[in-house]
Amino acid sequence: EAGVTQFPSHSVIEKGQTVTLRCDPISGHDNLYWYRRVMGKEIKFLLHFVKESKQDESGMPNNRFLAERTGGTYSTLKVQPAELEDSGVYFCASSQEERGVPRVEKETQYFGPGTRLLVL
Amino acid sequence: QKEVEQNSGPLSVPEGAIASLNCTYSDRGSQSFFWYRQYSGKSPELIMSIYSNGDKEDGRFTAQLNKASQYVSLLIRDSQPSDSATYLCAAAAGGTSYGKLTFGQGTILTVHP
């Protein structure tokens, strides 16, 4: 079974440009999460989708960030316009959401390899 | 006070020894806790999950949870050089909603031959 995949693996852009990150969750996982790790800090939650609906977007830094999950499959995270402080590693994770699955299983998240974003 | 706190280390142990990693959390509503291992430049890899007080063993790894003390630990027995990595403790959000993981800053473990 394929794991969580992310594209691109690296992105270097200039301040003011737009970047779109993509995440493909594990097949059948309805929960999809975005996290970010900036240099020297811990991994921070950005938002959580259940299928195509945003369940929790409390971690989104500001309105320059837009996440979508049309059709409830893959997700994109767009940063427009990018700022220097947006540099970091963006991780995507997914987990199960089937009825009857214990809570701990729904909360068990599997992470993708991340996208390393550098804004110059 | 950070929501999830770990000793950043580095923690250095000899090969074959027991490595002990500790974590405290502040959200009493959190029910599930996770240990991830992260090699440099790689993604977090799930090692263990635990949600009941007490110990949970899986091979060389034992996770321990004490909800009264809001404390989670990970023991690695017979440590190997390949265990050298950053270990991340995470707590799932409490309450009726779930999903958000709060991470500690990670403990760097070095196992020397």
Side-chain angles (χ1 to χ4, degrees):
Chain A
E1 179 184 281
V4 178
T5 58
Q6 293 186 243
F7 182 83
S9 58
H10 295 78
S11 181
V12 181
I13 61 172
E14 293 187 351
K15 176 182 172 181
Q17 289 186 321
T18 297
V19 62
T20 300
L21 314 180
R22 172 170 169 146
C23 167
D24 287 77
I26 291 171
S27 178
H29 280 192
D30 287 334
N31 287 309
L32 186 150
Y33 313 84
W34 284 99
Y35 292 85
R36 176 174 75 171
R37 186 170 203 168
V38 298
M39 178 105 46
K41 300 288 188 181
E42 62 268 27
I43 296 173
K44 291 274 197 184
F45 168 84
L46 296 178
L47 89 160
H48 169 204
F49 283 100
V50 179
K51 296 185 179 179
E52 66 274 9
S53 300
K54 291 177 184 174
Q55 179 78 11
D56 181 355
E57 51 185 330
S58 61
M60 294 288 264
N62 51 62
N63 58 11
R64 296 186 293 103
F65 289 75
L66 175 64
E68 295 181 321
R69 193 182 182 194
T70 308
T73 54
Y74 71 90
S75 174
T76 58
L77 180 64
K78 181 161 66 175
V79 185
Q80 178 183 29
E83 298 289 344
L84 300 180
E85 64 265 24
D86 301 332
S87 297
V89 183
Y90 290 76
F91 290 107
C92 177
S94 71
S95 70
Q96 303 179 71
E97 182 54 41
E98 286 83 14
R99 186 185 296 275
V101 170
R103 177 171 177 147
V104 66
E105 295 298 325
K106 296 183 182 183
E107 293 173 330
T108 299
Q109 300 178 23
Y110 300 90
F111 280 73
T115 294
R116 283 146 187 80
L117 174 65
L118 178 60
V119 183
L120 301 176
Chain B
Q1 180 191 9
K2 293 185 177 180
E3 294 181 57
V4 176
E5 201 145 1
Q6 297 178 249
N7 290 328
S8 60
L11 174 65
S12 181
V13 300
E15 184 174 357
I18 296 175
S20 178
L21 305 161
N22 305 312
C23 171
T24 58
Y25 62 94
S26 61
D27 182 0
R28 285 196 171 273
S30 292
Q31 297 183 29
S32 303
F33 304 87
F34 305 88
W35 283 99
Y36 287 86
R37 176 174 62 196
Q38 188 175 26
Y39 293 111
S40 181
K42 302 296 184 181
S43 62
E45 173 193 6
L46 180 69
I47 300 176
M48 298 274 290
S49 64
I50 187 166
Y51 60 95
S52 297
N53 274 328
D55 296 357
K56 179 181 178 183
E57 186 175 318
D58 184 359
R60 295 186 297 112
F61 299 97
T62 299
Q64 299 173 317
L65 174 60
N66 184 325
K67 292 185 179 180
S69 300
Q70 296 176 253
Y71 176 87
V72 190
S73 68
L74 179 70
L75 299 178
I76 306 175
R77 290 181 299 282
D78 188 23
S79 296
Q80 301 297 309
S82 58
D83 295 326
S84 299
T86 298
Y87 288 80
L88 303 170
C89 173
T96 55
S97 65
Y98 61 87
K100 171 183 175 181
L101 293 182
T102 300
F103 283 86
Q105 67 270 39
T107 299
I108 299 171
L109 172 66
T110 300
V111 181
H112 53 86

